[in-house]
Amino acid sequence: MNIIEKERIQKQFQEKMDYDELLNCMRCGFCLPTCPTYIESGKNELHSPRGRIAIMKAVVDGDIEPDEEVKKSLDMCLGCRACEPVCPSGVKYGHLLEEARDIIYQNKKPSLPVKGLREVVFNQLFPHQNRMVGLVGLLGFYQRSGISTLARKSGMLKVLPDSMQLMEKVIPLAPRKKEIKNRPTHLEPLAVKKKNVAFFSGCLMDTVFMKTNEATKKLLQYAGCEIVIPKTQGCCGALHGHSGEKMKAKEMAKKNIEAFEKAEVDYIITNAGGCGAFLVDYDHLLKDDPEWVERAKGFANKIKDITSILIELKFDQLPLQLNEEVLTYQDSCHLRNGQKTFIEPRKLLQSISGSDFVEMKNADRCCGSAGIYNIVESEMSMQILDYKMEQTKKTKAKTIVTANPGCLLQMKLGIEKEGLSEQMRAIHIVDLLLEAYENAKNK
């Protein structure tokens, strides 16, 4: 960073950072055992929550410059927020991290390749669902045409890092463009009606993971929900909010609030932990906008994860059946730490007859996916994943269940990395529940 950038960043830290929140950190260290980067870095305080808060405060106080070391410390954070539930002072670490990253990325001039990549990802791709559909159509062509097989056999993929080569193998078969576009916006319940709900489709979930979205809606219908799916909704903005693009995240939040305000529903249902945690935080994201903050609160108060509504509607008391199978569960960090939802998925899994649920040690520790973290901080991500796979293998489970697309891909990557693809599978919880419900129904 040059002198002008540092001065600009420091000034904005002083103007924008919540100093009272920084002071709330008592440096007690309760957060340390929960922080994957602190543990995996050999207990380096620069990579702990209290260490990062100390760095932010030091920048505000003018004790240190906001140099590359400061940026590196903040970038290394997964943003898993595991430190928040254990903090006796209730420090909102996630809010501090997002603000600090936004200040740095908006005031530091990136290199041309980085600038180009951020422009494509944050401005040209994720905010435009039609472009996401087009890209997924190309992915489907790559997978179905035989080009993927040729790319692997010819060694073309060896120019990519090892983790990216494995990721290419585990990406689900993309739906066809026609399949994505021809879908209903209203669905009737398939049982006695209990609730009116809206469904938040997301961007990756509604393209790459379209089958999981379809399974989610089917479960809601079986549970007695009438569903509306607003056409004008879009990406939740989480990737932007976590990566120093808050202004764009705010634009996307307003678009979603408008889309769902017209739907008179009991809840807005999500099936992706990362999306849900960002959606319930829209009121914080828009707290400085008098026109939108109350509307954001109304929206956020209706957000509910699919597992929560299934428990509320007693779906766990319906017949659910699998063949003899050992299951384990990997928590989505944002579902657990952001939405405070962790008992419900376990209740649902424990209700499946014919299966044995085994709790994984440190199931609540991040798997290392964290949005695009496994791409930009690949080495640390793989260290964290290696630990996670060690714990998974100890359960002797044949099925790893999770509740977020990033976690799902990361666990699939771990299975492939360990050479266990013939013995183990990773699956989203709604896909497993639909499988269990329809198995029982057809017997």
Side-chain angles (χ1 to χ4, degrees), residues 8-9 24 26 41 75 77 83-84 123 143 147 169-170 194 206 210 229 235 261 296 318 330 336 367 375 409 419 431:
R8 208 162 46 216
I9 290 168
N24 278 342
M26 301 185 301
S41 65
D75 283 346
C77 180
C83 50
E84 291 186 13
N123 294 325
Q143 292 171 323
I147 296 174
K169 281 187 178 181
V170 302
K194 297 176 182 177
D206 212 38
M210 190 190 83
I229 307 104
C235 174
E261 275 177 335
L318 296 178
Q330 163 60 26
R336 185 181 183 107
C367 64
I375 298 172
L409 282 179
D431 293 308

Side-chain angles (χ1 to χ4, degrees), residues 32 77 113 176 201 268 316 322 359 361 389 440:
L32 300 182
C77 180
R176 299 178 191 278
S201 305
I268 300 168
D316 57 323
L322 287 175
E359 185 72 33
K361 181 183 177 184
M389 291 308 299

Side-chain angles (χ1 to χ4, degrees), residues 37 55-56 71 96 112 211 240 278 283 299 314 363 397 419:
T37 55
I55 288 170
M56 294 178 211
K71 180 179 177 296
L96 292 172
L112 281 176
K211 288 184 179 177
H240 298 73
F278 199 70
D283 55 336
F299 175 91
K314 304 189 182 335

Side-chain angles (χ1 to χ4, degrees), residues 22 27 111 122 132 159 161 281 283 336 349 356 361 419:
L22 291 171
R27 316 289 191 264
S111 65
F122 295 126
M132 291 288 291
V159 297
D281 236 5
D283 55 336
R336 185 181 183 107
L349 294 176
D356 182 18
K361 181 183 177 184

Side-chain angles (χ1 to χ4, degrees), residues 139 143 152 164 166-174 208-209 409 412:
L139 173 63
Q143 292 171 323
R152 289 171 200 165
M164 291 297 292
L166 289 173
M167 189 65 78
E168 187 270 344
K169 281 187 178 181
V170 302
I171 292 173
L173 181 63
V208 177
F209 296 94
L409 282 179
K412 283 177 177 284

Side-chain angles (χ1 to χ4, degrees), residues 32 138 141 162 301 327 350 438:
L32 300 182
L138 289 175
F141 175 75
D162 290 347
N301 287 338
L327 311 173
Q350 288 164 351
E438 293 188 339

Side-chain angles (χ1 to χ4, degrees), residues 36-37 78 80 167 330-331 333 365-386 388 406-407 410-411 413:
T37 55
L78 292 147
C80 68
M167 189 65 78
Q330 163 60 26
D331 282 284
C333 296
R365 186 185 292 184
C366 185
C367 64
S369 173
I372 58 170
Y373 188 92
N374 56 3
I375 298 172
V376 297
E377 298 290 347
S378 178
E379 185 178 346
M380 178 59 77
S381 174
M382 291 303 103
Q383 271 184 245
I384 293 167
L385 178 59
D386 288 344
K388 184 60 64 176
C407 303
Q410 185 81 338
M411 298 315 294
L413 194 154

